[in-house]
Amino acid sequence: FTRAILNTRSSEVEHSSFPDRPLGTPRSAGKSTKMRAWTAALAAAAAALAALATPAAATISVTRSINQLDMADFKVQIDGCTKNDKYGCARFSTEWGKNISGSVHAELKKDIEAGAHFIASMHLKTGIFPVPFHLRCNLCGQPCGFKLPLIEKDFNIEMPPCPIKADSIDKAFNEKIPMDPVPLDLGVDGIVNVYDHEGRELAAVHVNARCSRPRTHYFLFQK
């Protein structure tokens, strides 16, 4: 880009200092030459910018803390995790379209009966002011459907049939995150409380997550 502009300026100075038009040639001919030179410079600049444009990946980052967990022994390990606690991975980042892998150990202490549910009290943020979002779904027996505000996207999560029997599981996973980035930068922060069918609190989990959309960065100065 810089070289194209300098070349244009050099040719402009040369043309101005040493005009090559014969006597009697209209001055518009010189202006036309300058216009063509500037047009070529702008085209070269656009090509340079396009060549230097580098797309930045859309990312997902999640941090969680568990304040109470009476319903199960639970531990999730995620490859590439950046912070761990006694429940496993507490912070990780990844990108849309990539695989997420790790392992789950869970031991449910008692059956989960019909009527057990969770309540999510969250705030969503895309700009300065957060938007409240509240969700209540059963843990079993019926799907959990909701629309996420701001991005206006519908979700429908199939929940297992009731009851969920007390059992243990140890399982590895390797799942691909869909290449479906959110249409805007989105932050989510709040707490999820889990209750049994009689209303006793079984768990409290704080979640903070951020999703970003793809961007294009321009590197104008490189060695």
Side-chain angles (χ1 to χ4, degrees):
F1 174 78
T2 306
R3 188 179 298 112
I5 296 298
L6 290 176
N7 288 343
T8 303
R9 289 180 176 174
S10 299
S11 62
E12 185 179 71
V13 171
E14 182 180 352
H15 180 75
S16 300
S17 303
F18 306 98
D20 57 357
R21 60 183 177 88
L23 292 175
T25 302
R27 297 182 64 87
S28 60
K31 292 182 179 179
S32 177
T33 301
K34 291 181 182 180
M35 184 62 69
R36 285 196 298 271
W38 274 108
T39 301
L42 290 174
L49 287 174
L52 294 174
T54 301
T59 59
I60 308 166
S61 61
V62 179
T63 302
R64 67 105 189 103
S65 60
I66 297 178
N67 304 323
Q68 178 185 347
L69 186 59
D70 300 333
M71 60 188 294
D73 292 326
F74 180 78
K75 191 168 188 177
V76 177
Q77 299 289 2
I78 298 177
D79 295 338
C81 187
T82 57
K83 181 181 179 181
N84 288 275
D85 60 19
K86 67 178 182 178
Y87 300 109
C89 184
R91 181 186 299 144
F92 73 94
S93 297
T94 186
E95 297 174 8
W96 295 97
K98 289 198 170 183
N99 280 38
I100 180 170
S101 59
S103 61
V104 177
H105 166 76
E107 185 175 349
L108 191 61
K109 295 179 180 179
K110 65 178 183 177
D111 294 353
I112 295 177
E113 306 285 350
H117 60 279
F118 72 85
I119 298 175
S121 302
M122 317 297 287
H123 284 87
L124 311 181
K125 189 175 180 180
T126 60
I128 298 176
F129 302 106
V131 175
F133 172 65
H134 299 283
L135 173 67
R136 172 176 171 150
C137 282
N138 286 345
L139 294 178
C140 61
Q142 56 185 263
C144 178
F146 59 94
K147 175 178 282 188
L148 203 60
L150 299 178
I151 66 173
E152 294 301 316
K153 189 167 184 177
D154 292 314
F155 294 86
N156 191 51
I157 303 172
E158 288 295 329
M159 307 302 280
C162 295
I164 302 175
K165 291 294 186 180
D167 199 358
S168 62
I169 182 174
D170 287 279
K171 185 177 181 180
F173 63 88
N174 187 355
E175 301 293 333
K176 186 177 181 65
I177 300 174
M179 190 59 188
D180 183 24
V182 292
L184 38 75
D185 290 350
L186 178 66
V188 180
D189 185 80
I191 191 165
V192 179
N193 300 95
V194 181
Y195 302 89
D196 68 11
H197 63 288
E198 294 179 340
R200 290 187 294 263
E201 188 175 30
L202 301 176
V205 182
H206 178 260
V207 178
N208 181 279
R210 296 191 63 83
C211 304
S212 68
R213 64 177 187 259
R215 287 182 172 82
T216 300
H217 292 166
Y218 295 91
F219 299 93
L220 297 181
F221 302 99
Q222 292 183 340
K223 294 183 179 181

